[in-house]
Amino acid sequence: MSAETESRHAVTRNDGILEVRDLDAGYGDLRILDDVDLDVSSGEYVTIVGPNGAGKSTLMKSVFGLTNYMGGTVRFDGEDIAGENPEDIIHKGIGYVPQNENIFGQLSVRENLEMGAYILDSVPEDRIEAVYGYFPILEERTGQLVGSMSGGQQQMVAMGRALMLDPDLLMLDEPSAGLAPDLVEEMFDRIDRINGSGTAVLMVEQNAKEALRRCDRGYVLVQGRNRYMDDGDALLDDEQVRQDFLGG
Amino acid sequence: MGVTDNTTGRIRGYAARPAVVLLAFALGYLLVDLAAKLAGISVDPLGVHVLGGYVRVSSVVKYLFNGLILGLIIGLAGVGLSMTYSILSFANFAHGDYLTVGAFSGWAASYVVALFTLGLAEPFGEIFLLNVPSVVSIATSPAAVVVGLIVAATASVALVLLLDRLVYKPMRGRGGIPLLIASIGVALALRYTIVFVWSTNTRGVTAVGVESLPAYTLYVVDGSYSINLHEFTMIVAAVALMIGVHVLLQFTKLGKAMRAMADNKALAQVTGIPTERVIRATWIIGGGLAGMAGFLIILKRGVLSYNFGWRLLLFIFSGVILGGIGSVYGAIGGGIIIGIASRMALIWIPSGFARVAAFSVMILVLLFRPAGLFGGVTTA
């Protein structure tokens, strides 16, 4: 379908932690992803952009074992995790923040973070400190019910929860969705900081221009297939990409 | 200013709903009537009795206490019903029969213990089938009551886990309605299994003689109300269990995970919370509490029949709905309100209609707060 599919034969980097090859996945019998490839290196910041319904979120969910696996490989840290369930994948070092309903509204901030480390025997206080380091407001609101907080603060709680196990890869599904414009910038800054500390970030984002400007590499997904893959800036400069996906 | 606007807006909102006004009027009338009755004033213009009459203060105190005791049991049983609703997403109609199972297994165990501690002459079979009336009293055989409570809990937990494995687990994820209907079938199966073993006879199980059971008598204005050792034991046990539930939910990892799952199942799974294990814990706690509630209410009532749990289920449901289905604290608060309402109603209506009063209170509250007093789906 697309001649520009570059990632198909992309050279696998030595320090790649996530390596998706020819992935087919969907819901029930409905196939959404069609031979999709995706790579994330250790500490890299990768963005997936594309039109609505392109399968961006589905790709992320598929990595986390939340869709119906139909074929291909998903390797994380050299281990094949395709078709495994989320409860096992969490142990491998992937943190995932869904787009919607990504907080426990009836629990306090601290309890949300504790849930993020449920698989550990005891609450890792150093991780709670680390999360409070990224999001100082959460330390002030530690006992507050998350359901009563603002959208931006809830998003911080959601990310904080996913960071509790100090994942090697943090997957964010539309972290800026529903945020007021002045908060979007701030949210991207915080993601930069998380990435700067060595955590690889894989992000799906509607706010494509800003996301591509900030990331190391971007993928453009169309109708469940890879369309383009390049450095973020290169995609931004690409005339075709600009016209088709970034509104000129 | 904003507050005043808000208040008038609210009042206008209520006025728009005639049922609310009507019920508020009825409640107001009852309160005035109660005050008049307590004061011994009767208003009979033209020979038509309109208001007042006479009721003893001590009777009102008695109704209040009995209501509170019943309410504690309804609340205790409601905790499990509410938890299974919020975590497993279905209304479990077999919950009332878990009380019955707890009561029968617990009292059979009590009788067996009493057989030894009290040196009864009757054969074991007659004892086990509870065919010997009114044997156990906490004064003469405290061990029998303690063992009975423990057996009531363990037997109902075992049963509930078995039922989950056989019936509910295979149906998980098929939605609330199929599970609800299955639970009605489970309820019938449980009830008639009990009938098969113990028959439909209603039997007295506790020994309640003045000489055998110490009681504390409370003197009020025009009479007295006495609370006996069985009632006292029941209250202490129920309150202790409720505190236990509170501590579990707020301060333990498992309890927090239960609240998290009640809140957002999909996220709980993504977070790595072992959802099946949490479901099992929910059944264990809810089933155990139901079994103990069943045992304890019989300790107070003294008589045991095969369908008391089923009959109590409507009260439990209305308490849970009143408190806001899904909320554990709502189940406790709602249960106590329903219990008190159903007993206080005896001031005005014969006991056969006490249920009507309980449901009227539920409807009244829901008109003001449609999501229940503690609102929303939450185990908090």
Side-chain angles (χ1 to χ4, degrees), chain B residues 109-120 124 127 141:
Chain B
S110 273
Y111 261 51
V112 170
V113 172
L115 173 70
F116 296 108
T117 57
L118 300 178
L120 302 177
F124 180 84
I127 291 290
S141 182

Side-chain angles (χ1 to χ4, degrees), chain A residues 105-200:
Chain A
Q106 299 291 336
L107 270 60
S108 71
V109 169
R110 193 189 152 90
E111 286 169 340
N112 265 269
L113 298 182
E114 287 177 10
M115 287 301 110
Y118 190 91
I119 62 170
L120 302 181
D121 290 333
S122 62
V123 179
E125 293 297 334
D126 58 321
R127 288 309 301 164
I128 289 188
E129 287 309 311
V131 169
Y132 286 160
Y134 290 127
F135 311 108
I137 185 80
L138 297 188
E139 184 161 21
E140 289 169 36
R141 303 284 175 92
T142 183
Q144 192 175 336
L145 286 190
V146 177
S148 69
M149 296 169 84
S150 72
Q153 289 165 357
Q154 292 187 352
Q155 191 64 36
M156 294 180 201
V157 172
M159 280 196 214
R161 184 193 48 68
L163 286 168
M164 280 302 289
L165 294 174
D166 197 9
D168 297 326
L169 173 65
L170 179 65
M171 300 198 299
L172 304 170
D173 197 347
E174 308 245 3
S176 78
L179 296 188
D182 52 324
L183 291 177
V184 171
E185 205 54 22
E186 197 188 322
M187 185 57 70
F188 279 124
D189 286 343
R190 292 180 200 278
I191 295 167
D192 283 349
R193 277 188 58 201
I194 293 166
N195 178 241
S197 74
T199 307

Side-chain angles (χ1 to χ4, degrees), chain A residues 64 66 85-87 90-91 96-98 100-108 110-112 114-122 145 161 165, chain B residues 249-261 263-278 375 377-380:
Chain A
F64 210 68
L66 291 167
N85 61 45
E87 283 161 51
I90 250 203
H91 288 261
Y96 169 58
V97 183
N100 300 313
E101 296 185 6
N102 52 21
I103 47 130
F104 298 114
Q106 299 291 336
L107 270 60
S108 71
R110 193 189 152 90
E111 286 169 340
N112 265 269
E114 287 177 10
M115 287 301 110
Y118 190 91
I119 62 170
L120 302 181
D121 290 333
S122 62
L145 286 190
R161 184 193 48 68
L165 294 174
Chain B
L249 285 178
Q250 297 300 329
F251 303 111
T252 70
K253 191 175 174 182
L254 174 68
K256 289 173 188 177
M258 291 170 81
R259 285 162 54 213
M261 226 183 121
D263 193 335
N264 189 335
K265 277 180 229 27
L267 186 63
Q269 198 193 14
V270 166
T271 303
I273 292 173
T275 50
E276 272 302 319
R277 215 184 305 163
V278 174
V377 176
T378 148
T379 298

Side-chain angles (χ1 to χ4, degrees), chain B residues 17-105:
Chain B
R17 286 178 286 174
V20 173
V21 177
L22 205 67
L23 280 168
F25 178 78
L27 196 67
Y29 170 81
L30 289 178
L31 284 174
V32 173
D33 187 56
L34 176 61
K37 278 191 164 83
L38 286 172
I41 302 166
S42 186
V43 182
D44 310 82
L46 305 171
V48 181
H49 179 70
V50 176
L51 200 74
Y54 178 68
V55 66
R56 290 151 73 100
V57 179
S58 58
S59 303
V60 175
V61 171
K62 187 182 87 180
Y63 292 141
L64 195 64
F65 252 107
N66 280 337
L68 180 68
I69 289 171
L70 177 64
L72 283 172
I73 290 299
I74 294 173
L76 196 60
V79 168
L81 188 64
S82 203
M83 285 203 306
T84 43
Y85 179 82
S86 58
I87 291 173
L88 290 124
S89 309
F90 83 104
N92 183 12
F93 273 75
H95 201 79
D97 291 280
Y98 295 172
L99 271 77
T100 318
V101 168
F104 272 92
S105 54

